[in-house]
Amino acid sequence: MRRVARGGVFARPRPAVALATVLLAGAGCSSSTSRLPDASAASALPDGAVTGAIRLVGGPTGTTSAPAPGEVFAYLGADLAGRPVATARASSDGRFDLRVPAGRYYLAGTSPQYSIDPKPATPPCRAAARVDVTAGRTSHADVICPMR
């Protein structure tokens, strides 16, 4: 092995692989710290979106579905337990745009045009099925309020 003189002291040259690793690790990085994934890592993932509308469906014969304003909530479980992961307002035409980290969600909603007495513990309007959200993509789901 060849020795290289540095300041009058002989030292072994560093392997090119180690130097390349250091150079590649530093290329394009703005931070020198790295973290292992933890419970808060989901909030760092790129978001996806769910768009749709709150709709009043059913009622007397001949009635068609109608859009309704309100709020839409995204939950992690089908039982809608706990706090929602995200909330979005639905405009007067019922449309909403909900931003969430990639994952599986169950949507529920409320509308001032739809009420149940007594008031239920969970939002009374629901999406027909769960929604799988992919980072950088938009999924679609309507939240239905069943009229009688």
Side-chain angles (χ1 to χ4, degrees):
M1 181 170 278
R2 193 175 116 213
R3 293 183 181 251
V4 178
R6 289 191 187 155
V9 178
F10 285 97
R12 288 187 176 170
R14 292 188 172 192
V17 174
L19 182 57
T21 302
V22 171
L23 291 175
L24 287 175
C29 292
S30 60
S31 173
S32 61
T33 59
S34 63
R35 292 178 23 164
L36 295 175
D38 60 13
S40 65
S43 64
L45 294 175
D47 287 347
V50 180
T51 61
I54 295 179
R55 300 203 160 282
L56 304 176
V57 176
T61 304
T63 304
T64 60
S65 73
E71 283 189 286
V72 176
F73 310 95
Y75 292 89
L76 292 175
D79 59 358
L80 309 180
R83 298 182 66 162
V85 174
T87 302
R89 288 210 179 271
S91 62
S92 60
D93 65 357
R95 293 179 192 205
F96 66 87
D97 184 16
L98 185 68
R99 303 284 178 190
V100 291
R104 178 171 287 165
Y105 299 95
Y106 298 85
L107 302 185
T110 59
S111 173
Q113 296 178 4
Y114 182 82
S115 64
I116 297 176
D117 193 26
K119 186 177 177 180
T122 58
C125 307
R126 310 281 165 86
R130 71 178 189 240
V131 179
D132 292 319
V133 177
T134 303
R137 303 248 172 140
T138 300
S139 299
H140 181 84
D142 286 339
V143 174
I144 305 300
C145 300
M147 303 295 286
R148 296 194 171 105

